[in-house]
Amino acid sequence: MPTRTAQSTATEVMESASTMSGLQFKDPLSWRAGKPIAIAELLRRLQALSQELQALEQETVSRDALTTVASELVSPNLLGHKDKGVKAWTACCLVDILRLCAPEAPYSNIQLRDMFNVIITSILPALSDPVDAYNKQHLYVLKSLAHSKSIVLITDIPSSELLTIKLFATFFDVLSGSAKASTGVLIGKSVEFEMTAILATVVDETISLPLEAIDTIVAQFLRTDPQALGGSGSKSKKNGVADEKQSTLFLKDLPPAYNMAKTICNSCPEKMARHVSQYFNDIIVDASAASGAKRSARRNSIEDSEDEGGNTTTEEDLKELRKAHRLLRELWRASPAVLQNVIPQLEAELSAENVQIRHLATETLGDIVSGIGAAGLEPLQSMDPAAYPLTALSDRTDPTNQNLLTKPSSPLPFPQAHPHAYSTFLGRRHDKSAIIRAAWTTAIGRIIYTSAGGASLSQSEEAQLVGDLARMMGDADEKVRIAAVRVVGSFTLRDVIMKLGPSGTVADAGSVLATLAERVRDRKHVVREEAMRVLGRLWGAASGEIAAGNEVVVPILGAAPSKILDTYYANDMEIHLLLDHVLFEQLLPLSYPPIKSKSSKLPNGNSQKVNGSQAAADSLAEDVDPDKIRTERILTLVNGLDERAKKIFYSVQIRQTLVSKVMTTFLQRCEDYNGGVMDENEAAIKEHLKRLIDNLSKQLPDSAKVASDLWKFAKMHDRRSYQLIRFCMAPDSDYRKMFKAFKEFTKRLESAANASKDILETLVPLLYRASMIIYNKSHVPAIMEYARTDGNALGATAHEVLRELSSKTPEVLKAHVQEMCQSLQDEAPSATKANDPGAVDNLKACASFASKFPKDLPQDRRFMQSLTSFALHGSPAIAAKHAVSILMTTSKKEMIAKDLVTKCIQDFEYEGVGFMSRLATLSQLMLLAPNEVDEEGDRVIDIAIKHILLQVRTPSTEPSDEYAWSDKLDAECEAKCWALKILVNRVRSHEAPETLADVAKPVYNLLATLIAKRGEVSSSKNSPPTHKSRLRLQAARLYLKLCTKKSHDALLTPANFNELATVAQDQENAVRSSFLQRLKKYLGKSRLSQRFYTIPFLLAFEPSSGLRSDTTTWIRSRAAYFSTLPPQRTNGGISQSNTVLESVFARLLSLLAHHPDYSPELDDLVDFTRYFVFYLQNVATSDNLSLIFHVAQRVKQTRDAITTTEYANESLYTLSDLAQLTIRKWEEEKGWGIDVVPIKVRLPTTLFAEVKGHAEALSVAERNFLPEGVEEGVDKIIKQSLRKGSTKSKKRKSDVDGSAEGEGGAKKKAKLPIRKASGAKEKKPKTASTKTPKPKKRAERVSDTGSGERRRSGRVSTTQGGKYTERDDEDDDEEMVDGVAQWIYEDEEGNPIQPEPVQEISSDKPTEGSEVEDINSNKEAEHPEANPAINGDGADEESAEEEMKEATPPPAKTSPRSKKPKAKPKAKSSPAASRASITPTSSPKAAKVKKASATTSSPKGKGKSKAPAAALSRPTRATRGKAKDVDEE
């Protein structure tokens, strides 16, 4: 048995040896020289050999059997054969030999080199042609090399770098289609896989990969870079210009060469990381070294600036660096592991000295975190505010529609993978270079937008970036701020709400959106322009969600329009111009919604092709109403506005009416101008056209350019353009007609050969302002529908807009007035049926329409009966008033008026049927039909006084001095308000001037009593506190209404005017604000005399910052407006228009002298300084300060004409000295100068009387009426006001603190001193700051005296029965001409010299503008606070910056009192000069009195005043000295 086993084993070995014995192929493959084998035969033999070798396995063949064939296959005859087939079959045989003999190849290194050279240079490149005859053999070679990994033999060949480089280049060329044999036929995926496996093997087995091979691998990632492809010079592109038609194509998959490089990197991450690190290190170090060398050479000659320091890298170096950093972006997306050694290098670049390298590193690292590759981020489609349907928050971008190359993608969350580098990147927000900070801001915006390339950020990381974005939006450099604004503008609505919204809303300070809203008032125009457009675009895109009441969107973006419109208060014409564009391009775009009411047809009858969004919108055209959609957006906008913004919005509509009038006249004059060719009246036409152009140019910035453009437009003489503008402004143009005219006009100017782009830029804003865009007749039906149905909770807003529209532009109601009248007929009330509350707005609209177009209203009996029902039973009572206004425009108004009066007074009872409506009807009839009411006049007056005013039906149980406010108006108080209107309207409608005083006297006395007694009308003093505040306010407002007529204004005595002025200091904020609002409205419309300008200056102690700020803005607006009026010379003098607020200073002194709070005590006088400081802050400039000082001096040369008591005179003189001291201190702190003013200020004789004689004048002038210590207190207050920008809100002594809270309720308020100067009551020692102040006597007096008594404490009652009716200014001027304020000038020797011509300025004349000031004269027609924004008048945007500057303490300077100054040619602000004043010389004898006079320098010599006004609290010098002596003092 064992023997047989041994034999069996031997047999198996012999059989195995026989199977590995050799090949069946015995044909020779080589030949001797000169006897080659035929190609066909050679191919047959090679094919036979290849087939046999392919069938063999390594285990079934002996290496010795392959020796002969292996040797013949590498002969030069075969490797160098010219036939491609021979080479292909030879290569197939060779790779099989290598497979069968692995791992040891039966070849020398030289033979291996020759063999691989043929394979790499001939066989593998042929794979680029899949239709090649031997492609199958080529594929076999590739597959064999990949599977057997025999390619690794190339690494054993000495100096194989060239073969390796060629191998990498060949494979990538084949896959990219750039090989020479490429035919454009797609190569199979298997080729890509096999090539990838071969190259991965080479990389893994090679110790050191050649740099060129690394370059080849890395370069594949630039195949996604459009910049690299555009400049590659490929066959499809010439001169590096890419085909624009291909730019919108999206790749479905990455390029094969890119995928192969990516797979190689991911297959060998460690080795590739080392190779890639070395690759980038060489590039970065080379560029840095080059720039460093050049920088070192440059430092020897010049010093680099902050941003340009180190910017010496050449453009060539920068180009390579940019290319390398683009590669880094793409490598992170493809294989982040290979960058583990490169990221630290990139981090080091963040701290490089070279700004360009630092900038490049910041951008690159930001894009890496965001997952943005070399192709960059796909251009973001900005939110379209005019798109329809509106953007919904639920809308998401479809990822299948994104370009694969530009879609952000980060395989790893960078902050977790490289925390230190990420931390260093975040630190770049503090970079000293604004360029770097701007780039960093853009980078973090992309990180937030892409959610770190889809890898997502943690909640804390995202919150940190959002907070940083908000902070960068407030950076000191505008480049950074604008970058941050643009980042927000690049977000989608969903991103803004979901990513930026959690940080806070537009109203939350510190949030991104709130900071963006602040940037709309940025000091740099480029920043505020971008911010305003972005914020407007955000709201426009979100308007759909806001209209739908989305609880997430509304709080976040609802207040955006208010922030935008609030910029009008900056009084900057550039902002006004920008807001016009934002309002009509972002908030309410003219093209919204892009829906055509009719299908657009081409001439051939085919439908016009439109883009996708337009097509989608047009598909809904049949289902929606564009006018209703647009109206909804308008109402949504108005609904979200705050009160300040609403004033602006409605004022913009008022401006439309005014601008359209000027534009209409301008177009008419352009037609008369006829392009410069006129037959007659040439001079007059040119002059009128010039005035119109000057007027229009003042409404826009760069008025010179605007005027030039308007002249060019006039010379174009395009009649079609004139007509198109008229279409835009016409009230009878519907929206479609207006919009088509607007578009045609812009296209016409764009295509006109003789029109420049500047003309269009100038005319478009004017067209925005003049066109019927918002108050268009197409919107009226939708507004009425919303008012009726309250759709989307916009009913109240619709009523409000309808009221404004009807009162400002009733013309647009023509087409809808019949519908409104029909609605009123259907809603007519009766004794048992109440009308709908919305009927009030329809009545007001019809009343406004009837006032302009009475004949267009229905005159039928049913409509008249309906209006009569409203007059008798309308609710609320204001409905009856509007109904009467409509009835009084009809042809039968006399008969209707008599009938209404009879019905109203018949069986009138308080709380009877319709009693409130009857009172309102009687009030309006008393105004509009006085003759018809006179027949029952006594009965009407009896009802108003005895039945209403004098009755207290709800007596108060509280103390008689209690005073409160309630927003809820009860029936009794409302009835009393209507009763007052009845009495006042009787005076207003009285036409006989000879009996006016008798009729008006009791009414004026009643109003004065209500104001003086704080609304108390009952002798028992038991009126409810809330009634008293309401009646006092009503009396004050009716006083203003009366004084809008000159004859009625003359009946308001100065004493009563002073009482009226105290309403501005009422203890209730609602009373003060309502009174001042009405006052500013009338003053803005120039309906009140100039003396009413004194009242706003009583707000120096206003506790409400909002009311004080609004009033300050208004005063500065009026001051700027008066300064823009052209001077009009009359009788050799300058028109009063230029000095309204300056001359009113005298009236302010008189008002304060009779103020209830006035007291000659030190603390009170220091407190009163705040009034003067408030005046100077808002009116004084370096140009008019001298005139104001002169007015203050002038007051001391008169006597008080109101009470004619010595106490009143001394009060006036004390305040004059205090005012002069304050002005001097103000001048010193500001560094201005007070010069001699060669003018004569005429004061009104109703307030100021002549001094009795020269002796009295001299005595008053020499005496200083200020107590000691005033100067220190004044100086402290002025410095405090300049340091803080404004004085703290102080409360007046005569009012009490508290506020009304609760719905319709009123709370009691504790009586506290209202006006109490901080720090001025007691002079504290410098070293004892904690010492308890000593109580003052004044405080004790205040506590013992009631509020009503305190208001009369400073006034001495007069026993004279004379009237205080203020006469015309002409009479005042004549009395004050002689003997007052005449200057005497002397030269150095004391000889008199001729003074300069005296210009007379009256202190109280009506303000009138030129005939072309149509816009300016009515700037504040309805909302005076909005006036500066509309017209560009008033304090400009720099006012805030000026306050900041004022808050900075002025530089220390030597006081003129402590140092002897040099002689000056003009009388500047030296303290000693303050005693030089105007000398009253009433007689020649007085001219000789010079003993007590002081001197002051003037341009023509030394002006000497016989009676110097002691403005400072220092003793007056008894002897006259030279100018030098005065300076020394």
Side-chain angles (χ1 to χ4, degrees), residues 750-810:
E750 287 174 352
S751 59
N754 57 343
S756 63
K757 184 179 179 181
D758 294 339
I759 298 179
L760 184 61
E761 292 178 354
T762 297
L763 287 175
V764 165
L766 292 176
L767 208 53
Y768 279 149
R769 298 181 180 185
S771 300
M772 298 293 295
I773 299 176
I774 296 178
Y775 285 175
N776 191 279
K777 74 174 189 177
S778 298
H779 300 153
V780 175
I783 294 176
M784 295 174 62
E785 180 181 349
Y786 276 105
R788 183 172 58 254
T789 63
D790 194 25
N792 289 345
L794 295 175
T797 304
H799 282 297
E800 181 181 353
V801 173
L802 190 61
R803 287 195 301 268
E804 292 291 332
L805 184 149
S806 60
S807 61
K808 304 305 182 301
T809 55

Side-chain angles (χ1 to χ4, degrees), residues 190-434:
S190 60
V191 176
E192 177 184 340
F193 296 151
E194 307 296 355
M195 287 183 173
T196 303
I198 291 173
L199 295 185
T201 302
V202 173
V203 172
D204 190 44
E205 296 294 334
T206 304
I207 298 176
S208 177
L209 202 63
L211 183 60
E212 290 80 356
I214 300 173
D215 195 359
T216 302
I217 296 174
V218 173
Q220 306 313 308
F221 296 100
L222 283 179
R223 295 188 179 278
T224 62
D225 184 5
Q227 298 183 35
L229 295 179
S232 61
S234 61
K235 296 178 182 180
S236 61
K237 305 176 183 64
K238 296 182 179 180
N239 299 326
V241 179
D243 187 0
E244 294 183 357
K245 295 181 180 180
Q246 304 296 321
S247 60
T248 58
L249 298 180
F250 291 167
L251 291 179
K252 301 301 181 181
D253 197 2
L254 292 170
Y258 179 96
N259 282 331
M260 185 164 65
K262 176 181 177 180
T263 305
I264 293 171
C265 292
N266 290 329
S267 300
C268 312
E270 295 183 359
K271 285 198 172 183
M272 286 303 300
R274 185 173 67 253
H275 295 319
V276 170
S277 174
Q278 183 61 38
Y279 172 81
F280 283 104
N281 186 61
D282 293 342
I283 295 177
I284 295 173
V285 169
D286 290 345
S288 302
S291 62
K294 295 171 185 177
R295 183 164 59 251
S296 299
R298 187 181 178 188
R299 284 175 178 171
N300 296 329
S301 57
I302 60 175
E303 185 70 23
D304 295 341
S305 64
E306 176 186 338
D307 280 348
E308 296 180 355
N311 288 354
T312 55
T313 306
T314 64
E315 187 61 32
E316 183 179 355
D317 294 334
L318 281 177
K319 185 177 180 180
E320 290 298 321
L321 282 173
R322 293 191 187 101
K323 179 180 177 181
H325 286 76
R326 289 198 303 273
L327 280 173
L328 287 177
R329 294 174 171 91
E330 197 60 40
L331 275 170
W332 175 262
R333 284 163 51 94
S335 179
V338 302
L339 295 181
Q340 57 184 347
N341 298 328
V342 180
I343 296 299
Q345 299 180 39
L346 189 60
E347 178 185 352
E349 285 186 344
L350 292 173
S351 304
E353 181 182 356
N354 189 304
V355 175
Q356 293 172 321
I357 294 178
R358 208 160 68 244
H359 177 260
L360 193 57
T362 303
E363 288 183 330
T364 302
L365 203 51
D367 284 352
I368 287 177
V369 179
S370 303
I372 299 174
L377 190 64
E378 182 178 359
L380 302 176
Q381 295 182 355
S382 60
M383 293 170 287
D384 185 5
Y388 189 84
L390 294 168
T391 305
L393 194 61
S394 58
D395 290 347
R396 294 176 179 269
T397 304
D398 187 0
T400 60
N401 294 331
Q402 291 186 349
N403 191 333
L404 188 62
L405 301 183
T406 56
K407 180 181 179 181
S409 175
S410 178
L412 294 176
F414 188 89
Q416 284 76 36
H418 301 278
H420 190 271
Y422 182 71
S423 176
T424 305
F425 166 75
L426 294 180
R428 284 305 92 199
R429 62 178 175 267
H430 302 303
D431 197 286
K432 64 179 181 180
S433 172

